Amino acid sequence: MRCDILTLFPKMVSSVLEESILKRAQEKGLLDVRIINIRDYTTDKHKMVDDYPYGGGAGMVMKIEPIFNAVDAIKSDYPELRIIIASPQGITFNHNKAVELSREKRRLVFVCGHYEGIDERVRLGLGAEEISIGDYILTGGELPAMVIIDAAARLIPGVLGDEDSARHDSFADFLLDYPQYTRPPDYKGMNVPEVLLSGNHEEIRKWRRMQAIKNTYYKRPDLLEKMKLTDEDKKILNEVKKKT
Ligand code: 4GY
């Protein structure tokens, strides 16, 4: 996955990209992210990136020229771009979108808005797609860009330890996780379930499947409705339901 992040606050994104799994993905060459400071593409002596809104009202609006200049510069190296603006006005981000972006061959360009927003001609003129990470308002597009990149990057084969990527292929097969435990086996009387200490791999597999189905049934029944269940799963689900 190749992306550019256009931002007025480069440190908001570099701090996320320079740690842990996203850092490793870049070192392995599986993820290529460039951070572009929009201010570097201003041409006036005051390096102006925002201005007063036409029609009046509070706050500032991000100007079109530096953003277009930055995108033109990217285009001269990479002509095939998919331009994304994170905004509450977009279609809601989810696992299926993450899969789609993780497989995108074009370079992804995230234009991060701030203040009252971006001049509407940026969206229109660049043919940008709007993606929302949920129904709430943030102070800028940097955090949503990082949420989207993080969710897509972990789906790139080789980014996580395991190569078991088919497991994540579709939201249709999505169950909530089974609970995880690590040492110690007894913490002040709170014990790890016996089966996990048993070494019986078949029993452990069945217990985990049961826990995942139970978790999903209680916490996200809407997900279970959409899922194709195996015969074993249906049996487990009936047992779970009987206990309520
Ligand atoms: N929610 N999902 C979101 C957001 C902040 C003003 C434009 C969201 O994606 N983005 O709240 N973004 C606004 C702030 C400029 C972006």
Side-chain angles (χ1 to χ4, degrees):
M1 195 166 73
R2 287 158 217 300
C3 357
D4 288 315
I5 303 170
L6 270 55
T7 175
L8 294 174
F9 303 95
K11 282 185 283 186
M12 282 187 79
V13 295
S14 60
S15 62
V16 176
L17 293 165
E18 282 165 18
E19 297 283 355
S20 185
I21 293 168
L22 294 182
K23 179 181 180 182
R24 290 282 299 282
Q26 292 173 94
E27 287 166 355
K28 290 190 212 163
L30 299 170
L31 175 68
D32 161 24
V33 191
R34 301 187 305 187
I35 305 169
I36 296 171
N37 192 335
I38 295 169
R39 202 174 295 277
D40 293 342
Y41 289 87
T42 52
T43 51
D44 62 302
K45 71 168 182 219
H46 295 110
K47 297 186 188 290
M48 240 174 61
V49 292
D50 56 1
D51 207 338
Y52 298 99
Y54 274 125
M60 301 296 271
V61 175
M62 285 174 66
K63 291 171 68 58
I64 188 168
E65 298 100 318
I67 296 174
F68 264 60
N69 291 343
V71 171
D72 283 344
I74 300 167
K75 263 196 196 140
S76 61
D77 296 333
Y78 305 93
E80 302 284 315
L81 304 180
R82 176 168 177 180
I83 298 170
I84 295 167
I85 298 176
S87 153
Q89 301 181 33
I91 65 155
T92 309
F93 187 65
N94 63 15
H95 178 76
N96 293 337
K97 195 60 148 183
V99 171
E100 186 195 317
L101 293 177
S102 75
R103 296 177 180 161
E104 177 62 63
K105 294 288 170 242
R106 287 171 289 178
R107 207 173 174 91
L108 305 175
V109 178
F110 290 87
V111 182
C112 301
H114 240 89
Y115 317 118
E116 291 309 305
I118 308 171
D119 188 314
E120 183 68 2
R121 292 169 294 181
V122 169
R123 183 179 70 80
L124 297 169
L126 295 177
E129 146 188 11
E130 290 177 297
I131 300 179
S132 166
I133 62 161
D135 291 340
Y136 41 80
I137 317 292
L138 299 166
T139 58
E142 285 79 9
L143 294 173
M146 296 327 295
V147 166
I148 293 165
I149 290 170
D150 188 276
R154 67 182 286 286
L155 299 174
I156 300 167
V159 167
L160 300 183
D162 64 276
E163 292 288 319
D164 183 14
S165 59
R167 204 157 52 97
H168 304 291
D169 248 16
S170 164
F171 206 68
D173 302 310
F174 186 87
L175 277 182
L176 298 186
D177 275 338
Y178 49 80
Q180 301 279 12
Y181 295 88
T182 188
R183 290 186 291 178
D186 177 351
Y187 180 73
K188 298 180 181 171
M190 292 189 287
N191 291 311
V192 173
E194 205 61 51
V195 60
L196 296 178
L197 310 175
S198 71
N200 185 332
H201 296 293
E202 179 56 15
E203 283 304 309
I204 291 171
R205 187 194 64 79
K206 277 199 236 158
W207 181 85
R208 284 181 164 167
R209 192 77 189 163
M210 157 83 104
Q211 293 296 313
I213 291 171
K214 193 170 153 184
N215 242 348
T216 313
Y217 176 69
Y218 285 115
K219 296 178 183 173
R220 292 294 306 276
D222 56 308
L223 293 180
L224 215 47
E225 311 257 288
K226 291 186 219 154
M227 238 194 93
K228 16 182 170 73
L229 294 168
T230 65
D231 286 344
E232 189 196 4
D233 290 338
K234 284 178 195 158
K235 257 166 90 189
I236 295 173
L237 181 59
N238 283 330
E239 277 173 48
V240 171
K241 284 180 176 170
K242 253 188 263 162
K243 287 182 193 155
T244 54

